[in-house]
Amino acid sequence: MQHDPASTWRFAGAELNPLRRSVTRAGQRTELDRGATAVLLCLLRQAPQTAAKDALLRAGWPGRVVTENSLSKAIARIRAALADEDGAIVESVHGFGYRIVAAIETVAPAAATIAPTTTAAPARPVAMPAARRPHHAPLLIATLLMLAVTGAAALWLLRQPDAATAPKAAASALPSLMVLPFRSLSAETEARDRTRLLARDLAVALSQQPGRRILAPDTLELANAHAPDIEALARRLHAALALTGVVEWREGRVHVSTELVRTSDATLVWSNAFDGTVAGWKRLCVDIQSEVVRAADFALSDLGRREEARGTRSAEAYAEFRKGATLFKDDETGGRRALVAYERAVAIDPDYTEAWLALADLLSHNGFYASDAAEALAGKHRAVEILDQVLEREPDNVRALSMRGALRYSHAWDWAGAEADYDRVAQLAGADHLARLVNLARIRGAQGRLDEAITLARRASALNPGNTSGLTHAAHLEIARGRLAEGMALAQRAAGVAPIDEHAHYYLGLGALLGGDTAGALAHFDDSAHVLRLAGRAAALYSASDRAGSDRELAQLAERYGHLDAFRVAEVHAWRGESDLAFQWLDRALAQHEASFYHLSYTPLLQDLHADPRFAALKARIGL
């Protein structure tokens, strides 16, 4: 059943208003925080089934690493609001999650529903107040340009025969998603413009993945005039999924509710709610994009896999594979649960290549699933063994060759072995295979051949503008050469293509830091994530003469990620002039066979160590 994001939920004598984040019971209104509201909304949508703890953590704190203690506190706040001290309404399912035990109904207010547009063309944006116009003028210009382009696309779509009589076009065979115009619950021009741009930017971010067909909201405003409802529009445009959204602006805060719906049967595939301040709108948009892109990518991939189980005849093995793909995130909880799911998939079907490759990818993926360095290192060794076994059975598997090549240079520093794998990739898939170009650029950078590395990285970007790996690596190399403007321009391009790319924001921060702009550096580092955010902030706060703040960030970095990425800890110590500590952490990174170590030759944060004999000795130990 599809629910409007602004619906009021009634259950057990209480009402939940998600947009206002409040529960009303027996005339008593209780405010909930954003996390508790999202958790309760997830429970209601899952009812009467049990909602797993991992799903509730993702719903309540999207994009953040939190413990189950946060979930327990949220459940306690919900029970207090419902006067449910004995857990009769929000029932605990030991070891798994929680569920709502009550009859549930929803009431969707008319103001919150997304109605089909009745005009034949998008409404002309209204000029913003003079005091605010300079800041948003570029966005409005971009909107007008987008309307011009998408208007032409919509007219072309409308001239096509109806889906019921026309032969199916080649493009319609691709998994497709339409981003409906988001609805603003505020009549203010600025709020409506920001809401429109959010939906448009989500469509742009979603379109970066190859093999996807994304219909933009401005196009749909035109097409909608010729379809009576969402289902009819989906049939006409062969859209399998629809993304909807409602945005509420109130008293300096903004609340965004999003839903992803399967159009064939109106099944709710995914939903989430986001809350922030109007002043923090940019950061909130980045968070929304991160979660929406991740959810849509899996949903679209699932549609593409629905008819065949990706190389297995076992429905049970495929179900475990899908579970792993859903859970896989750069945190211990998601990573470990995904690991268990992939292990089950290959145990059920030992010939399931896709699951073996997913397992190898997780084991080598920075070790975020691991609780200590030994476990992470063992995982990297096992990943190589898995890839060797896959290639014994399928010697021409390009993806397995590319993955093994990356592991060879980034963890084993087997430069010759990696080159051999990428030579084989060139024979099978061509010299311009994207993974080959990007990884060869990384190898050349590690070898100190920066010009060649930049050329390879830029070529990768030119061949596939939607993939930011080449752009971000070229940005890092340009910054390493001291060409800050060029490097930051490349990083800015990458951030424009993929606003959720943490590397793009990190390199923007690195360029600003080296240029003496510590405030700008901190802002960019805050838009990065995980290890990079903490390392960047620790370095920037030191440059801003905030030693206490730098110490605090550095301590968190070492405690949370020292067993996975000691190299970043070493970079901060080197930037702070603490050479002995830097070399201690570099030795640890070497022993842990960390992927970041291939940056050793050129990363700017280690420049002060280059004259030390210990630095040359480290390079020699990894064959450079």
Side-chain angles (χ1 to χ4, degrees):
M1 179 180 179
Q2 180 182 358
H3 300 290
D4 190 289
S7 297
T8 296
W9 296 73
R10 293 175 180 169
F11 64 103
E15 287 190 357
L16 167 68
N17 185 321
L19 292 181
R20 299 189 183 279
R21 301 206 314 269
S22 65
V23 170
T24 302
R25 183 183 180 279
Q28 181 69 33
R29 185 167 177 262
T30 305
E31 298 283 346
L32 297 176
D33 59 23
R34 197 213 68 82
T37 303
V39 166
L40 178 54
L41 195 58
C42 183
L43 286 167
L44 290 166
R45 284 174 170 149
Q46 289 282 93
Q49 282 78 32
T50 301
K53 289 181 180 180
D54 190 68
L56 293 170
L57 286 168
R58 288 200 305 273
W61 300 270
R64 292 175 55 193
V65 178
V66 297
T67 66
E68 289 188 8
N69 185 50
S70 297
L71 177 59
S72 298
K73 291 180 178 178
I75 293 294
R77 287 192 289 271
I78 293 168
R79 285 174 171 163
L82 298 172
D84 182 34
E85 292 80 3
D86 57 356
I89 302 172
V90 182
E91 182 181 83
S92 298
V93 179
H94 183 67
F96 184 72
Y98 300 88
R99 66 183 174 193
I100 295 287
V101 183
I104 300 169
E105 64 173 332
T106 61
V107 179
T113 57
I114 300 180
T117 306
T118 56
T119 57
R124 181 180 179 183
V126 180
M128 298 177 65
R132 296 175 178 173
R133 189 170 183 175
H135 179 69
H136 295 289
L139 295 178
L140 291 177
I141 292 170
T143 301
L144 290 171
L145 291 173
M146 176 63 83
L147 291 177
V149 174
T150 55
L155 292 175
W156 180 87
L157 283 169
L158 295 175
R159 282 197 288 266
Q160 304 311 302
D162 188 78
T165 58
K168 193 172 185 179
S172 68
L174 294 173
S176 56
L177 182 153
M178 57 183 186
V179 182
L180 295 174
F182 281 20
R183 182 176 182 83
S184 172
L185 298 186
S186 170
E188 292 185 6
T189 300
E190 182 179 3
R192 294 174 63 184
D193 288 337
R194 286 189 176 189
T195 301
R196 175 191 291 268
L197 288 169
L198 170 61
R200 189 210 66 181
D201 290 345
L202 285 172
V204 171
L206 289 165
S207 70
Q208 303 309 317
Q209 278 284 71
R212 304 286 188 263
R213 181 167 169 264
I214 307 299
L215 301 170
D218 298 312
T219 301
L220 293 169
E221 283 189 331
L222 291 176
N224 230 4
H226 296 258
D229 52 34
I230 291 176
E231 289 75 18
L233 181 60
R235 287 194 300 272
R236 184 178 187 84
L237 301 181
H238 307 292
L241 298 170
L243 179 69
T244 68
V246 176
V247 185
E248 182 186 34
W249 310 79
R250 184 165 59 93
E251 298 176 356
R253 298 196 65 81
V254 59
H255 186 87
V256 181
S257 298
T258 54
E259 289 189 346
L260 194 60
V261 178
R262 191 163 63 228
T263 58
S264 61
D265 55 7
T267 296
L268 181 66
V269 175
W270 170 88
S271 66
N272 211 338
F274 306 85
D275 186 72
T277 63
V278 173
W281 173 250
K282 177 182 175 183
R283 178 66 211 178
L284 182 63
C285 288
V286 172
D287 291 341
I288 294 170
Q289 285 193 15
S290 175
E291 289 298 308
V292 167
V293 168
R294 181 172 176 271
D297 180 58
F298 182 75
L300 288 168
S301 297
D302 186 47
L303 287 171
R305 294 190 293 256
R306 192 170 293 277
E307 294 303 319
E308 61 173 294
R310 296 281 291 201
T312 183
R313 295 179 180 274
S314 168
E316 187 181 357
Y318 178 53
E320 292 294 341
F321 172 78
R322 287 179 57 200
K323 180 180 177 183
T326 306
L327 292 168
F328 187 14
K329 285 183 70 175
D330 286 345
D331 63 71
E332 183 180 350
T333 300
R336 189 168 291 281
R337 293 189 67 196
L339 183 66
V340 171
Y342 288 145
E343 293 280 18
R344 287 172 179 162
V346 297
I348 295 166
D349 183 356
D351 296 325
Y352 194 176
T353 297
E354 189 73 14
W356 280 115
L357 293 180
L359 177 59
D361 186 38
L362 188 153
L363 289 168
S364 61
H365 197 75
N366 293 330
F368 278 106
Y369 66 91
S371 57
D372 55 44
E375 185 179 11
L377 184 57
K380 294 166 189 175
H381 289 312
R382 183 163 179 238
V384 174
E385 292 173 358
I386 290 171
L387 294 171
D388 285 343
Q389 291 167 4
V390 168
L391 288 166
E392 283 182 13
R393 297 195 309 269
E394 305 173 26
D396 294 343
N397 190 311
V398 171
R399 184 180 171 204
L401 282 164
S402 297
M403 291 173 64
R404 187 176 69 177
L407 273 167
R408 280 179 161 175
Y409 76 79
S410 65
H411 295 304
W413 307 301
D414 176 9
W415 312 102
E419 296 262 9
D421 279 341
Y422 292 120
D423 285 345
R424 182 61 178 154
V425 169
Q427 293 172 5
L428 295 169
D432 282 340
H433 184 269
L434 180 66
R436 176 181 181 273
L437 290 173
V438 171
N439 284 289
L440 281 180
R442 291 170 178 161
I443 292 171
R444 298 292 176 263
Q447 294 168 337
R449 297 155 63 177
L450 299 192
D451 286 338
E452 188 178 349
I454 290 171
T455 299
L456 286 164
R458 284 180 176 270
R459 178 156 183 76
S461 173
L463 290 172
N464 189 342
N467 187 294
T468 58
S469 298
L471 273 177
T472 54
H473 188 56
H476 192 187
L477 293 167
E478 293 285 16
I479 290 170
R481 295 176 60 179
R483 291 163 37 167
L484 302 185
E486 291 88 339
M488 292 181 72
L490 290 170
Q492 190 64 60
R493 278 176 54 195
V497 171
I500 62 173
D501 189 324
E502 65 269 23
H503 290 89
H505 294 290
Y506 175 76
Y507 294 133
L508 283 168
L510 183 61
L513 177 63
L514 295 171
D517 179 11
T518 54
L522 284 167
H524 288 305
F525 289 141
D526 277 339
D527 281 335
S528 188
H530 301 306
V531 178
L532 297 178
R533 183 183 69 84
L534 288 171
R537 283 185 55 81
L541 288 169
Y542 180 81
S543 294
S545 300
D546 183 358
R547 179 60 184 256
S550 178
D551 286 345
R552 183 176 60 252
E553 301 290 326
L554 181 55
Q556 288 189 46
L557 175 66
E559 180 182 356
R560 294 172 60 183
Y561 301 111
H563 65 296
L564 304 175
D565 206 344
F567 186 87
R568 300 295 179 186
V569 182
E571 283 187 306
V572 177
H573 281 301
W575 182 253
R576 293 175 17 148
E578 299 158 350
S579 298
D580 289 341
L581 286 171
F583 278 112
Q584 288 176 25
W585 281 95
L586 285 173
D587 285 338
R588 181 171 174 176
L590 182 73
Q592 293 174 182
H593 287 261
E594 294 176 1
S596 300
F597 214 89
Y598 72 80
H599 298 307
L600 180 72
S601 298
Y602 59 85
T603 178
L605 297 181
L606 297 181
Q607 284 178 348
D608 290 349
L609 303 183
H610 287 189
D612 192 305
R614 290 174 290 181
F615 190 80
L618 276 176
K619 290 181 65 177
R621 289 174 66 184
I622 62 171
L624 295 177

